[in-house]
Amino acid sequence: MRFRQIISLLIFSFTATLAQAEIPWAFQPLPEQPPIPEDNPQSDAKIELGKQLFFDPRLSLTGTHSCNSCHNLAAGGEDGLAQPVGVNGSKGRRSTLTLWNAAYHTVYNWDGSSKTLEKQVWQHILDKNVMAMPDSKTLLERLNDIDGYRLQFDSVFEGEGVTETTIAKAIASFERTLVTHNSPFDRFLNGDKQAISDYAQQGFEQFIEIRCASCHFWVNMAGPNPGLALQQGEGFYELFPNYPGTDYEKRYGLADDIGRYDFSRIKTDKRMWRVPSLRNVAITAPYFHNGAVKTLDEAVRVMAKTQLNRDLSGNEVTYLVEFLKTLTGEFPQIALPRLPATPKRTVMKE
Amino acid sequence: MRFRQIISLLIFSFTATLAQAEIPWAFQPLPEQPPIPEDNPQSDAKIELGKQLFFDPRLSLTGTHSCNSCHNLAAGGEDGLAQPVGVNGSKGRRSTLTLWNAAYHTVYNWDGSSKTLEKQVWQHILDKNVMAMPDSKTLLERLNDIDGYRLQFDSVFEGEGVTETTIAKAIASFERTLVTHNSPFDRFLNGDKQAISDYAQQGFEQFIEIRCASCHFWVNMAGPNPGLALQQGEGFYELFPNYPGTDYEKRYGLADDIGRYDFSRIKTDKRMWRVPSLRNVAITAPYFHNGAVKTLDEAVRVMAKTQLNRDLSGNEVTYLVEFLKTLTGEFPQIALPRLPATPKRTVMKE
């Protein structure tokens, strides 16, 4: 863990020096494409198949919840709720993270418990509070029974067909297309100084000065990933709350969840969390792993206090929020897929 | 009720006479557009607003269920389940009807309890087993708080803003675009004799001969609507089961629900049901008001026995099913809308 914090501090000192003169090097627009793993190259047919699976509620035990049920791509790529609601109304433990630009991360989930997009697919399909499939076999059988899927899998994954691996690969391929380019901040980084307001520019300067930027930097505003210090599977984690015992901590129960430790059982992982992206943060309330904070203003105050031991003035909050709003990108148009039918039988074995 | 059955019989006798020679007049391709009510003309902006509302889970109390959750437009316009699953996992009473081509009906729901598409919108928003809004005020306030909605309503419905009426009008306008033209059967009706197989043509002849067509005819394969005998708000209902006491009735609990009577409290409405459309029937399993029958083959056998007192041979079932498959139309591509954000606050008041 330590070495990642050192990386962060190094980058921060570097950027702080440059802040007055020019845009710090540690801020970069989103690259055109996220990293594509060598064993899962993109193809139009694979992306289309992945999109169908993503929107298909038959991936859940009850046939009621698709990936899109919680990761709503018509909105911020999440559900707008403090806790996700899975099959049979059961609530998930941690607030849904956005899938927009997720492909620029190097680990997944709040605790980094999946090292690839492919791996997190099955985590959620099998999670009893999410899609609640009892085992992978049940889903493989169900998809194999749907001609339209079986034929596509045979064509996209020649000689492999419908397997745990190919399902994950198809969905991950689609998820790698979920990129929001050209936010006002990206345009600003690309040289258009009018792209963000004066208030937002002041907010950006504060963002660096008060050291929000020590964690939220680089292409995804989420630390050194990808292609900068960290490789796929290596996470950038921070302690949260960093300054324990604040009023905010109590009010919002911020320390009630033990974080990455619960997954890794490594003592130093207690209350460590993967740094989330700030891209599109203005449209992904509520905030934090427990979704306890409802507004961006309050989230900014909470972070300044719990992470940086700083009480912000009203103006500082305003400027920072104005800056954060410039991180909302342009959303690609997504055509609703046509899901293959299950002719002559019901989906669910009831 | 009687006069509608008489209409049906008249049309049937007419078509039966012609069946050998030419395509009966009582079968017609879907008109280009469904009827548009005078007080709710279509416009691009209104349809777009309606689409956003249709896909927005914030229309449900818990922020988890959009119209599309049950009326899945990526599939058959319904949920593929025997009973719909609403907020908090509660189950609806009757199987979800498809929304594709619903605009060609003259009444809505299995029991005809809504006379317009506009009216059914609020039925489902307020149904505690569906979207579970406690009252319209809660939703009006919620939508008014979302700048992106308030501005659109002000622009589309000048001087009216967000009201019960304008919400219903916008959603109904979008629903009137959900039309599947150009099914193989429509192409056949338009003169392309190769559009459906020989088996399907035999099935079509049987469909008329054994009198399936006495209820399932006209543009929506659902009786004399619209523009033929019935006006908007008048329903075409049939008794189901028509021949009581069959094994099928017991096995599938077909008589357990009292049908339209439960809504109208008129004695002659007992076990009367609005005749459902057969368009896209091959992709909307399971079947009947209780979704108890899982396959189209079995649905055909059940209908022949309970409605026409007829035991079908295996071949007859095959041909009829081949015919019914030709009723699957072409689905328009739908671009997923962008839902207006609720910046700086959470959707749900938790």
Side-chain angles (χ1 to χ4, degrees):
Chain A
M1 305 317 306
R2 283 295 107 185
F3 95 98
R4 276 157 210 158
Q5 288 174 326
I6 292 160
I7 288 173
S8 149
L9 286 170
L10 282 174
I11 288 167
F12 170 74
S13 1
F14 184 57
T15 61
T17 321
L18 294 182
Q20 308 310 319
E22 50 180 278
I23 295 166
W25 163 85
F27 296 96
Q28 295 282 340
L30 276 180
E32 188 59 31
Q33 277 223 324
I36 307 295
E38 269 182 35
D39 68 347
N40 191 20
Q42 301 285 83
S43 79
D44 289 348
K46 194 192 288 178
I47 291 167
E48 170 58 29
L49 172 57
K51 183 164 79 168
Q52 291 170 23
L53 295 167
F54 186 88
F55 279 94
D56 198 329
R58 291 172 294 189
L59 264 67
S60 64
L61 175 65
T62 50
T64 52
H65 286 62
S66 70
C67 305
N68 194 67
S69 297
C70 292
H71 293 289
N72 189 351
L73 299 182
E78 43 83 69
D79 52 14
L81 304 170
Q83 294 170 280
V85 179
V87 303
N88 299 320
S90 62
K91 291 208 174 176
R93 183 172 161 203
R94 291 171 185 157
S95 192
T96 305
L97 284 159
T98 180
L99 262 182
W100 291 109
N101 309 307
Y104 295 90
H105 283 297
T106 50
V107 292
Y108 297 91
N109 305 323
W110 282 100
D111 55 6
S113 53
S114 271
K115 290 189 170 188
T116 64
L117 269 177
E118 282 79 357
K119 288 220 173 75
Q120 58 79 34
V121 166
W122 278 98
Q123 271 190 304
H124 298 107
I125 293 174
L126 298 176
D127 187 328
K128 70 175 169 34
N129 293 319
V130 184
M131 300 176 98
M133 274 288 168
D135 48 51
S136 59
K137 189 166 156 281
T138 308
L139 182 56
L140 299 185
E141 281 178 4
R142 189 184 287 178
L143 295 184
N144 250 316
D145 275 351
I146 300 170
D147 293 349
Y149 273 133
R150 200 179 53 254
L151 295 170
Q152 281 184 88
F153 272 97
D154 285 348
S155 155
V156 171
F157 299 101
E158 231 176 305
E160 294 183 78
V162 185
T163 70
E164 278 187 47
T165 306
T166 55
I167 290 170
K169 280 184 173 176
I171 294 176
S173 283
F174 171 62
E175 291 175 345
R176 290 193 176 95
T177 68
L178 302 176
V179 178
T180 64
H181 288 296
N182 211 31
S183 70
F185 183 60
D186 288 323
R187 296 204 300 276
F188 177 77
L189 292 176
N190 281 329
D192 176 3
K193 298 299 169 205
Q194 308 303 311
I196 70 176
S197 69
D198 289 347
Y199 280 178
Q201 292 194 34
Q202 276 183 264
F204 179 40
E205 282 170 29
Q206 283 177 9
F207 187 81
I208 296 170
E209 260 174 55
I210 69 173
R211 303 201 167 213
C212 310
S214 70
C215 291
H216 295 288
F217 64 99
W218 201 234
V219 298
N220 214 7
M221 304 297 279
N225 49 7
L228 182 79
L230 294 190
Q231 300 300 312
Q232 192 67 48
E234 291 182 316
F236 179 54
Y237 304 100
E238 283 294 327
L239 185 65
F240 174 75
N242 187 35
Y243 290 89
T246 61
D247 286 349
Y248 288 127
E249 178 183 311
K250 285 167 216 153
R251 189 179 316 159
Y252 297 120
L254 300 176
D256 297 353
D257 186 330
I258 206 75
R260 182 167 160 76
Y261 171 78
D262 195 45
F263 158 70
S264 72
R265 295 290 149 183
I266 296 164
K267 269 192 182 169
T268 50
D269 280 348
K270 277 189 185 165
R271 297 200 184 84
M272 293 294 277
W273 300 91
R274 192 201 75 183
V275 175
S277 172
L278 293 184
R279 287 193 176 272
N280 304 308
V281 70
I283 63 163
T284 59
Y287 299 103
F288 306 126
H289 60 270
N290 60 2
V293 174
K294 298 188 182 186
T295 72
L296 189 51
D297 303 52
E298 182 74 348
V300 164
R301 282 187 288 266
V302 170
M303 283 305 273
K305 188 66 183 173
T306 62
Q307 299 309 94
L308 308 163
N309 195 25
R310 183 153 180 155
D311 296 290
L312 297 179
S313 72
N315 274 351
E316 284 173 321
V317 173
T318 302
Y319 297 155
L320 283 164
V321 166
E322 281 306 301
F323 167 61
L324 292 174
K325 282 185 188 169
T326 72
L327 297 173
T328 304
E330 290 176 1
F331 293 84
Q333 194 172 82
I334 295 176
L336 199 67
R338 288 299 314 157
L339 304 185
T342 51
K344 297 215 284 173
R345 61 173 292 237
T346 304
V347 179
M348 303 303 115
K349 287 178 182 160
E350 280 161 293
Chain B
M1 305 316 307
R2 282 294 106 183
F3 96 95
R4 275 154 209 160
Q5 288 174 326
I6 292 160
I7 289 173
S8 151
L9 286 169
L10 280 176
I11 288 166
F12 171 73
S13 1
F14 184 56
T15 62
T17 320
L18 295 181
Q20 309 308 319
E22 50 181 277
I23 295 167
W25 164 84
F27 296 96
Q28 296 283 339
L30 276 179
E32 188 59 31
Q33 278 222 325
I36 307 295
E38 268 182 36
D39 67 347
N40 192 19
Q42 300 284 83
S43 79
D44 289 348
K46 195 193 286 178
I47 291 167
E48 170 59 29
L49 172 57
K51 181 163 80 165
Q52 291 170 24
L53 295 167
F54 186 88
F55 279 95
D56 198 330
R58 292 172 293 190
L59 264 66
S60 65
L61 175 64
T62 50
T64 53
H65 286 62
S66 70
C67 306
N68 194 65
S69 297
C70 291
H71 293 289
N72 189 351
L73 299 182
E78 43 83 70
D79 53 13
L81 304 171
Q83 295 170 280
V85 179
V87 303
N88 299 320
S90 62
K91 291 208 174 173
R93 183 173 162 202
R94 292 174 184 155
S95 192
T96 305
L97 283 160
T98 179
L99 262 182
W100 291 109
N101 310 308
Y104 295 90
H105 284 298
T106 49
V107 293
Y108 297 91
N109 306 321
W110 283 100
D111 56 6
S113 53
S114 271
K115 291 190 171 189
T116 63
L117 269 176
E118 281 79 356
K119 290 222 172 73
Q120 60 78 34
V121 166
W122 278 100
Q123 270 191 304
H124 297 108
I125 293 174
L126 298 176
D127 186 328
K128 70 177 169 31
N129 293 319
V130 184
M131 301 175 98
M133 275 288 168
D135 47 52
S136 59
K137 189 166 157 278
T138 308
L139 181 57
L140 298 186
E141 280 178 5
R142 191 185 284 178
L143 295 183
N144 249 317
D145 274 352
I146 301 170
D147 293 348
Y149 274 133
R150 200 179 53 253
L151 294 170
Q152 281 184 88
F153 272 97
D154 284 346
S155 155
V156 171
F157 300 99
E158 230 175 305
E160 294 184 75
V162 185
T163 70
E164 278 188 45
T165 305
T166 55
I167 290 170
K169 281 184 173 179
I171 295 176
S173 284
F174 171 63
E175 290 175 346
R176 291 195 175 95
T177 69
L178 303 175
V179 178
T180 65
H181 287 296
N182 211 30
S183 69
F185 183 59
D186 288 322
R187 296 204 300 276
F188 177 77
L189 292 177
N190 281 329
D192 177 2
K193 299 298 169 205
Q194 309 303 311
I196 71 175
S197 69
D198 289 348
Y199 282 177
Q201 291 193 34
Q202 278 183 262
F204 180 39
E205 282 170 28
Q206 284 177 9
F207 187 80
I208 296 170
E209 259 174 57
I210 69 174
R211 304 202 167 213
C212 309
S214 70
C215 291
H216 295 288
F217 64 100
W218 201 234
V219 298
N220 214 7
M221 304 297 279
N225 48 9
L228 183 78
L230 293 189
Q231 300 301 313
Q232 192 68 46
E234 290 182 317
F236 179 53
Y237 303 101
E238 284 293 328
L239 185 66
F240 174 73
N242 187 33
Y243 289 90
T246 62
D247 287 348
Y248 287 127
E249 178 183 313
K250 286 167 213 151
R251 191 180 315 158
Y252 297 119
L254 301 177
D256 297 353
D257 187 330
I258 207 75
R260 182 167 160 75
Y261 172 78
D262 196 43
F263 158 70
S264 73
R265 294 291 149 182
I266 296 165
K267 268 191 181 170
T268 49
D269 280 348
K270 276 190 186 167
R271 296 199 185 86
M272 293 295 277
W273 299 92
R274 193 201 73 184
V275 175
S277 172
L278 292 184
R279 289 194 175 271
N280 304 307
V281 71
I283 64 163
T284 59
Y287 299 104
F288 305 125
H289 61 269
N290 60 2
V293 173
K294 299 187 182 188
T295 72
L296 190 51
D297 303 50
E298 183 74 348
V300 164
R301 282 187 289 267
V302 169
M303 283 304 275
K305 189 65 182 172
T306 61
Q307 300 308 94
L308 308 163
N309 195 25
R310 183 154 181 154
D311 296 290
L312 297 179
S313 73
N315 274 352
E316 284 173 320
V317 173
T318 303
Y319 298 154
L320 283 165
V321 167
E322 280 307 301
F323 167 61
L324 292 174
K325 283 185 189 169
T326 71
L327 297 174
T328 304
E330 290 176 0
F331 293 84
Q333 194 173 84
I334 295 176
L336 198 67
R338 289 297 314 156
L339 304 185
T342 50
K344 297 216 284 173
R345 61 173 290 234
T346 305
V347 179
M348 301 305 115
K349 287 178 183 161
E350 282 161 293

